[in-house]
Amino acid sequence: MPESTYPARALQSGGAVVPPLALGSWNTWDRMTSEEAVAVIRRAVERDAGFFDVAYYNMGPHAENSQTDILFGEALRASGVDRSDLVLCGKLWLWDWPNQGFRAQLLESLERAGLDRFDTLVVGDYLDAPDMPRLVADVNALIAEGLVGSWGINNWRIAQTREALAEAEAQGAAGPVFAQLKYGIARRSMAEGDAYGPLFADGTLTLQASDVFEGGILATGRSPQRKIGADVGGIRERIAAIYPEVARIAGEFGVTPAALGVAFCLSNPATANVLFGASRREQLEQNHAALALARDHGDEVRAALAGCWVDQEVRADGAW
């Protein structure tokens, strides 16, 4: 992995460090030309962002028959980037599990992207509490087969996350090592509250911050026309209202609002990396400024943004 001037962290306790910036796949690779995609991948590896989230969006509320994963795979092969310089994260969905098993999902995802394995993966959203003994066993079967190295969870209720950790210990198996949570300048309760906070503090889990720009609202001040993440707690209008203050503070630090949002997330010691979408190389370059800002002025960033926390009254246990 290319050397970084940023103090990179591991995604799991005792594991190898990962790039501090991570590029998502939802509504990303299908919003640029193939030439742009190749350029973004090459530059991402050079700019501390060689961690790629690769998901097949065609299940449950994401039944979109998206091509973004296929396009990423094509661009990755065309880029000529060495596999050893990348960290690839897959995604499993619980919407139709166990009717559609994890192995079938993972093999389909790998085939679509033209990959042979993922370094790690995220087990995604659910409506009803899953059969945890089976879930842990099924994920560990993928690890044993060499298809993936580790796993994490995506916006789970804290009760199920703790159940997964306990079940893994009971089975003598690998449990989740990180939590991919909605986290950013405005939404902090789930990651910093009494639910997940203790698991981050004692090193049981690390945090992968996602949806940090609230679908782009905190990066541009505009609501995008494309589909964006759920508005947990119905606070999106209040989040949009703080954008002028976010933009003002970003100007004081000499960065874009997006870079300020990334720096805020990185300034949390629990954060292993920050996942965002970049459909232009320019966005990647601008967000890279967050690394120096977080490294040199992280405490100042958090202090300046103290009044921008919007979701204090939203349940922090993940029971949305």
Side-chain angles (χ1 to χ4, degrees):
M1 187 176 300
E3 185 176 349
S4 172
T5 58
Y6 181 82
R9 302 164 186 164
L11 197 63
Q12 66 185 94
S13 179
V17 298
V18 297
L21 305 179
L23 296 187
S25 53
W26 193 32
N27 293 314
T28 297
W29 304 104
D30 47 2
R31 287 193 291 142
M32 61 183 102
T33 67
S34 57
E35 292 79 10
E36 289 170 334
V38 168
V40 167
I41 289 173
R42 288 174 177 164
R43 193 58 173 159
V45 173
E46 297 170 347
R47 299 291 273 174
D48 303 291
F51 186 114
F52 298 94
D53 182 272
V54 187
Y56 176 29
Y57 297 97
N58 195 33
M59 189 177 295
H62 298 304
E64 304 159 5
N65 195 26
S66 171
Q67 301 292 301
T68 187
D69 54 332
I70 295 175
L71 296 172
F72 167 77
E74 292 173 348
L76 178 60
R77 289 187 291 278
S79 73
V81 170
D82 193 288
R83 176 65 174 85
S84 64
D85 289 337
L86 309 170
V87 179
L88 299 180
C89 180
K91 188 161 255 177
L92 299 175
W93 301 106
L94 286 166
W95 304 110
D96 195 33
W97 178 85
N99 180 51
Q100 185 179 23
F102 283 163
R103 188 174 188 276
Q105 287 190 49
L106 195 67
L107 289 177
E108 182 176 21
S109 186
L110 289 168
E111 181 180 4
R112 285 172 58 88
L115 305 171
D116 61 352
R117 70 183 301 274
F118 287 118
D119 298 292
T120 190
L121 62 79
V122 174
V123 180
D125 308 341
Y126 62 90
L127 295 175
D128 301 314
D131 178 349
M132 201 61 70
R134 179 169 181 177
L135 186 152
V136 170
D138 285 2
V139 173
N140 274 267
L142 301 176
I143 295 175
E145 194 174 345
L147 295 173
V148 67
S150 63
W151 67 290
I153 60 88
N154 168 244
N155 291 325
W156 281 19
R157 303 177 192 118
I158 189 60
Q160 273 62 59
T161 299
R162 289 190 175 278
E163 184 184 356
L165 290 165
E167 183 59 39
E169 183 176 5
Q171 292 185 21
V177 297
F178 71 99
Q180 184 187 97
L181 304 180
K182 291 171 75 78
Y183 178 59
I185 289 171
R187 294 189 188 269
R188 313 181 192 180
S189 293
M190 192 173 181
E192 296 188 9
D194 294 337
Y196 276 92
L199 295 178
F200 295 142
D202 67 14
T204 300
L205 299 174
T206 62
L207 169 64
Q208 183 180 75
S210 71
D211 203 9
V212 299
F213 307 141
E214 196 70 18
I217 293 171
L218 289 179
T220 65
R222 302 185 300 274
S223 297
Q225 298 302 308
R226 60 184 173 81
K227 183 179 179 181
I228 61 177
D231 180 14
V232 180
I235 59 173
R236 188 153 284 156
E237 288 187 7
R238 292 166 57 194
I239 291 176
I242 70 168
Y243 174 77
E245 178 66 1
V246 171
R248 182 190 69 78
I249 295 170
E252 291 183 349
F253 283 105
V255 298
T256 64
L260 182 71
V262 174
F264 170 84
C265 295
L266 288 171
S267 68
N268 183 338
T271 304
N273 60 12
V274 180
L275 177 66
F276 58 85
S279 57
R280 300 192 312 276
R281 177 170 164 170
E282 176 188 13
Q283 294 173 325
L284 178 61
E285 299 288 358
Q286 291 172 345
N287 289 353
H288 187 269
L291 299 183
L293 180 58
R295 183 191 63 212
D296 300 334
H297 303 286
D299 290 343
E300 297 167 49
V301 167
R302 295 188 73 84
L305 292 167
C308 296
W309 185 359
V310 172
D311 75 335
Q312 295 97 324
E313 299 175 0
V314 178
R315 289 185 61 164
D317 60 0
W320 300 344

